[in-house]
Amino acid sequence: MQFVDEASIIVEAGRGGNGCLSFRREKYVPKGGPDGGDGGHGGSVYLVGDDALNTLIDFKYQRYYQAESGRPGQGRQMSGRAGGDLIVKVPVGTTVIDEDTLEVIADITEIGQQVLVAQGGRRGLGNIHFKSSTNRAPRKTTPGTDGERRNLRLEMKVMADVGLLGMPNAGKSTLIRSVSAAKPKVADYPFTTLVPNLGVVKLGMHEHFVMADVPGLIEGASDGAGLGLRFLKHLTRTRLLFHVVDVAPFDESDPVEAAQAIAHELKQFSPTLAERPRWLVINKLDLVPEDEREARVQAILEGLAWKGPVYRISAISGEGADALVQAAHRWLTEQRRQENENEEAAEREREMRERMEAEAVARTEARLGRKRKRSEQDDDDFDDDGVEVEYVE
């Protein structure tokens, strides 16, 4: 299945039914009076989180969603049937943005979470409501109102505990293949990963966590270079980052400069995301002679002035990978325990997620704004000078 994590759709709620103009007509009942019923309310449009979905590909082929309109009222004070609500299923982890106002409508993070995105139109009133002592035969009704119509942007972020961060060809895909059942593409050239991959790392009965591998970043990713801006947002759902560094790059580039560039792009995209715990994972030690390994590792640590956790691995052979995932599982377990037992810790986590979401949305708004500006400039730059136009009657 094709992975699609962004989509634009149009949702339109149903129109309310019109009120009915009617008078009672029965034998032996002279001047029966008004008996026009009300119309039915229009159906609304809801988005609901569904764990069976993991991509927005369905919205690529169907972009318009409309709820049912309410039926008009009838005589004998019969109300019209209300329009049925439309329930649209989206993947858990979907952010809903109003494209016209750039307002974040909702963040769907739980299974079954339901969000109203388009309110149905109100019903019209029949003439029975306008009867009075001075107006015994009212001919007034009200029409139903239009349902709400919205242009929405859906952005899905994968739900994972650990995110892999690093330059293209650093070995992130090989690592996730080594520790989980995920089988992302692996090759000896950059940008083999074009979409995020999720892998469940199992450590025992009922003990596991989810790891996300996103496409490699390059310098300028936070401003849209490469695939970075589109996929950095997926890391905002994670609790822990593994910064994978290639100790022996095939292009003989400096691992320290590469790691510093990634850290810079992370901070540019979201300062709060840059505050997330980040572990340095030095990979591809199998490509370095044993007597040179420690010296190369120390050179990287000194160049980065690194003070955090460091793990030395060879993803392709599995060396050091087990110790890495065991440590990550212990850390995640302890974090969840603290949040369950300490309300302050839980509140800090919620605030951090909200800040990251706001920063990610700001980046999205800026990107959409630049896109609109380019589109407007293209329209303004159109010049028909020198174009011969022939009018045919």
Side-chain angles (χ1 to χ4, degrees):
M1 179 183 292
Q2 183 181 358
F3 183 88
V4 177
D5 64 343
E6 294 182 354
S8 295
I9 64 173
I10 300 170
V11 294
E12 185 171 0
R15 176 183 172 82
N18 295 330
C20 175
L21 176 62
S22 173
F23 293 92
R24 188 175 178 187
R25 297 280 193 270
E26 292 184 34
K27 192 175 183 180
Y28 307 121
V29 185
K31 300 181 181 179
D35 69 348
D38 302 334
H41 290 300
S44 299
V45 182
Y46 294 86
L47 301 185
V48 61
D50 188 344
D51 63 338
L53 302 176
N54 55 16
T55 175
L56 297 173
I57 190 170
D58 292 340
F59 301 101
K60 181 178 180 181
Y61 301 105
Q62 182 179 348
R63 297 189 60 236
Y64 182 69
Y65 296 84
Q66 184 177 24
E68 185 181 9
S69 294
R71 303 299 298 169
Q74 300 179 40
R76 299 186 180 182
Q77 302 182 33
M78 290 191 294
S79 297
R81 181 171 60 85
D85 293 334
L86 178 63
I87 305 297
V88 181
K89 295 181 179 179
V90 298
V92 174
T94 299
T95 300
V96 187
I97 302 171
D98 188 312
E99 280 202 322
D100 297 322
T101 64
L102 298 181
E103 170 197 2
V104 177
I105 298 172
D107 200 12
I108 300 175
T109 58
E110 298 178 3
I111 299 171
Q113 181 181 347
Q114 189 166 288
V115 176
L116 173 66
V117 292
Q119 178 67 54
R122 294 188 62 80
R123 66 183 182 181
L125 300 179
N127 66 335
I128 191 173
H129 288 279
F130 301 97
K131 179 178 64 174
S132 69
S133 59
T134 58
N135 187 2
R136 301 296 182 89
R139 294 183 176 276
K140 180 180 179 181
T141 63
T142 59
T145 61
D146 290 332
E148 193 175 10
R149 178 187 174 99
R150 267 178 156 173
N151 298 314
L152 301 180
R153 183 174 187 82
L154 306 181
E155 294 195 352
M156 193 196 81
K157 303 180 184 71
V158 297
M159 305 291 285
D161 301 298
V162 176
L164 300 183
L165 187 68
M167 283 285 190
N169 222 40
K172 302 184 299 298
S173 297
T174 304
L175 175 57
I176 201 171
R177 286 174 67 101
S178 175
V179 300
S180 75
K183 300 300 178 187
K185 183 178 179 180
V186 173
D188 59 353
Y189 55 84
F191 294 111
T192 51
T193 300
L194 299 178
V195 299
N197 294 293
L198 291 180
V200 179
V201 182
K202 294 186 177 180
L203 298 99
M205 188 66 69
H206 306 301
E207 294 184 345
H208 64 272
F209 63 87
V210 179
M211 182 181 291
D213 168 29
V214 300
L217 306 180
I218 60 175
E219 190 171 354
S222 60
D223 291 321
L227 301 173
L229 182 58
R230 182 174 174 184
F231 294 114
L232 268 170
K233 64 188 179 186
H234 293 288
L235 298 178
T236 61
R237 300 286 191 194
T238 61
R239 293 172 173 268
L240 176 63
L241 299 175
F242 286 174
H243 188 160
V244 183
V245 177
D246 185 352
V247 73
F250 70 93
D251 59 358
E252 298 183 355
S253 58
D254 185 356
V256 173
E257 291 182 359
Q260 289 173 336
I262 292 295
H264 174 74
E265 295 304 325
L266 193 66
K267 189 172 183 179
Q268 287 291 105
F269 175 76
S270 169
T272 306
L273 179 58
E275 296 175 8
R276 275 294 198 200
R278 182 160 51 100
W279 295 1
L280 197 64
V281 179
I282 299 180
N283 190 25
K284 301 187 181 181
L285 286 177
D286 55 300
L287 300 181
V288 180
E290 288 190 16
D291 58 342
E292 299 179 15
R293 291 181 182 179
E294 192 56 31
R296 289 210 187 185
V297 171
Q298 289 302 320
I300 294 174
L301 297 181
E302 291 174 6
L304 295 174
W306 188 261
K307 302 298 182 183
V310 181
Y311 289 86
R312 302 160 173 79
I313 71 166
S314 171
I316 196 167
S317 68
E319 177 187 350
D322 185 62
L324 173 64
V325 296
Q326 290 285 354
H329 181 258
R330 289 192 297 270
W331 186 89
L332 291 167
T333 301
E334 177 61 19
Q335 288 296 114
R336 294 192 184 99
R337 185 192 66 78
Q338 290 182 12
E339 291 173 19
N340 290 333
E341 297 178 359
N342 189 328
E343 182 58 34
E344 290 184 4
E347 182 61 27
R348 283 196 300 272
E349 176 65 21
R350 284 193 293 270
E351 289 178 355
M352 178 169 275
R353 287 183 180 272
E354 289 173 0
R355 291 203 309 272
M356 284 191 294
E357 184 60 37
E359 291 163 358
V361 168
R363 277 286 171 183
T364 299
E365 291 176 354
R367 177 162 59 94
L368 292 175
R370 289 195 297 268
K371 185 177 179 181
R372 284 181 185 173
K373 188 174 182 180
R374 284 197 301 269
S375 178
E376 292 171 356
Q377 287 177 343
D378 290 342
D379 292 340
D380 293 340
D381 291 343
F382 177 75
D383 186 2
D384 60 357
D385 289 346
V387 178
E388 185 175 338
V389 180
E390 180 179 356
Y391 296 93
V392 180
E393 295 183 356

